[in-house]
Amino acid sequence: MPDTRAGPLAGAGPRGGRGRRHLLVAGFVLAYLGAGAVVLAMGDRVAGGGWLALHLVLLGAATNAIVVWSEHFAAALLRAPPAGGRVAAARALALNLGILAVLGGVHGGRTALAAAGACLAGVVVLGHALMLATRIGRSLPSRLGGTVWFYLAAAAALLAGMGIGLWLAGGVPGSADAYLALRLAHVHLNVLGWVGLAVVGTQFTLWPTVLRTRMLPGVERAVRWSLPPLAGGLAVAATGLATQHRLVALAGLVAYAAGLGVALVPFVRTALRRPPHTAAAWMLGAGMAWLVVAVVADLAALAASQRVADLDGRLTRLVPAVAAGFALQTLTGALTYLLPVVFGRGASGNRRLTGILELGWRPRVAAVNLGVLVLVAGPAGGGPAGWWLAGVGLGSFLPLAAAAITFPGARR
């Protein structure tokens, strides 16, 4: 069996334009995370601050990371050359112009600006998906090339979710229940689809790489068998939610949960063989655990609801689990591993940058997950204590990451 400990990022040091490209994207991701933290800290002083902070994280930071790293992983898995530096830089700039227009347009009530931004960002994501599809068609058989289909399914979910989001921003005619139903479909497509499918697909290769162990036999079957129920179940669930057919949505979520269970089999088996022992591994593992909690709780909440619209109020407590526990923690864990690989310029530099990013990681990881637990399960939504714990645990990563990417060895 081939040794996968080097992972798809072997030799991915920042040479020339590639280094500037990764530095640009890392800057975008950290800027969105910092902006989201500032908005949350300002609280009620920012109108619609909750929506803005959530979208800064999921639409801003997560989308940048997914587009760039899915292209990088796909190129490595399919043995294809990465996109040229100018193409990648133009894509990153166009994507972020679109994202900023969406955020500013929706938050400021400027539907035309939001529509233009969504179209621009959508074109970038569509072009990214078409590029991945072309690579699949031209590539030779690859052991885990099937994981690239997760990125295509994720892109389709985002495009559908953005379309619904534009509809919501422009005003939905009809009852309040129709608006809530469409909002629920929008949330599920973006969270379980765009972020969820991309993360699950990446974990097949990233997880054993982070744990520094060999890939288990049979992981190809998990890739092959998990995507149809995940993608198909999400499509059915979103359709059922949007059309207010609760049983249809419930069936879709059951299929999604089953697909997630199949995908997690090699994840859990790998962790049992080589338990997590680094900051990146613990954060990635905890992030996947919170995704499972969110999916199961979502399924239970929908089953307990009499109408689709009733689910909207029941999901309030799951926002911290999805945003902080899953999305932010997974992104932080991935960056904790990837930044030293990209900017370390060799084993010595990798160790130095990892040392920076892992400063105080045990109390930071404990604070994040304790804070999310308090917010999800505590009385009255956990109150400020939960947000402060999660915020300090996650926010402390920002200055460490800024120090790492400006480290002298990373700039050369």
Side-chain angles (χ1 to χ4, degrees):
M1 184 187 306
D3 190 345
T4 63
R5 282 176 289 186
L9 294 171
R15 296 177 179 88
R18 186 181 301 181
R20 289 189 293 272
R21 180 199 322 174
H22 286 305
L23 186 61
L24 176 66
V25 173
F28 279 133
V29 171
L30 296 179
Y32 282 117
L33 293 178
V38 169
V39 170
L40 274 180
M42 294 181 68
D44 295 338
R45 286 172 286 180
V46 178
W51 178 93
L52 183 57
L54 186 63
H55 284 75
L56 282 165
V57 170
L58 297 181
L59 179 60
T63 294
N64 272 274
I66 291 170
V67 168
V68 171
W69 290 109
S70 64
E71 190 269 338
H72 188 89
F73 272 74
L77 291 168
L78 300 176
R79 300 180 178 88
R86 291 182 179 179
V87 172
R91 179 182 63 190
L93 292 174
L95 176 65
N96 285 282
L97 283 174
I99 290 172
L100 291 173
V102 170
L103 295 174
V106 174
H107 190 256
R110 300 179 179 181
T111 306
L113 178 61
C119 289
L120 180 57
V123 166
V124 173
V125 172
L126 178 60
H128 170 67
L130 292 175
M131 178 197 65
L132 295 181
T134 301
R135 286 182 173 178
I136 292 175
R138 294 177 178 175
S139 68
L140 296 173
S142 172
R143 184 186 181 195
L144 287 180
T147 58
V148 180
W149 286 103
F150 278 78
Y151 301 137
L152 291 174
L158 177 65
L159 292 172
M162 289 177 69
I164 295 177
L166 266 182
W167 191 1
L168 292 169
V172 178
S175 65
D177 284 358
Y179 177 88
L180 293 177
L182 284 173
R183 186 167 74 177
L184 286 166
H186 166 77
V187 169
H188 282 75
L189 286 167
N190 289 338
V191 174
L192 299 185
W194 175 233
V195 182
L197 291 177
V199 168
V200 172
T202 300
Q203 292 282 32
F204 286 112
T205 51
L206 183 61
W207 182 238
T209 304
V210 171
L211 291 180
R212 303 184 186 281
T213 187
R214 296 177 185 271
M215 197 174 293
L216 292 173
V219 69
E220 302 95 327
R221 290 194 298 272
V223 172
R224 196 165 52 246
W225 294 347
S226 62
L227 182 57
L230 280 166
L234 177 65
V236 171
T239 301
L241 292 170
T243 57
Q244 301 186 65
H245 287 88
R246 188 179 70 89
L247 293 180
V248 173
L250 194 61
L253 284 179
V254 168
Y256 186 96
L260 182 60
V262 172
L264 285 175
V265 170
F267 186 91
V268 173
R269 287 180 59 208
T270 302
L272 291 175
R273 188 175 70 174
R274 173 75 166 172
H277 57 283
T278 63
W282 271 99
M283 285 186 277
L284 290 173
M288 289 300 291
W290 282 115
L291 174 62
V292 173
V293 169
V295 170
V296 172
D298 185 21
L299 184 57
L302 183 59
S305 302
Q306 293 188 351
R307 303 173 307 146
V308 164
D310 295 338
L311 179 63
D312 187 78
R314 294 175 181 266
L315 292 186
T316 303
R317 284 217 172 192
L318 288 183
V319 171
V322 168
F326 167 53
L328 268 174
Q329 188 165 210
T330 298
L331 180 58
T332 302
L335 290 175
T336 300
Y337 177 78
L338 294 172
L339 289 180
V341 172
V342 171
F343 295 109
R345 299 185 64 86
S348 177
N350 189 317
R351 287 193 296 270
R352 282 195 293 270
L353 297 193
T354 299
I356 294 173
L357 294 173
E358 288 191 338
L359 284 174
W361 71 266
R362 289 178 177 82
R364 287 194 287 122
V365 172
V368 173
N369 290 283
L370 179 58
V372 174
L373 181 63
V374 169
L375 290 167
V376 171
W387 282 115
W388 273 108
L389 279 170
V392 169
L394 291 167
S396 57
F397 174 76
L398 294 176
L400 296 177
I405 63 176
T406 55
F407 187 78
R411 292 198 300 267
R412 289 195 296 268

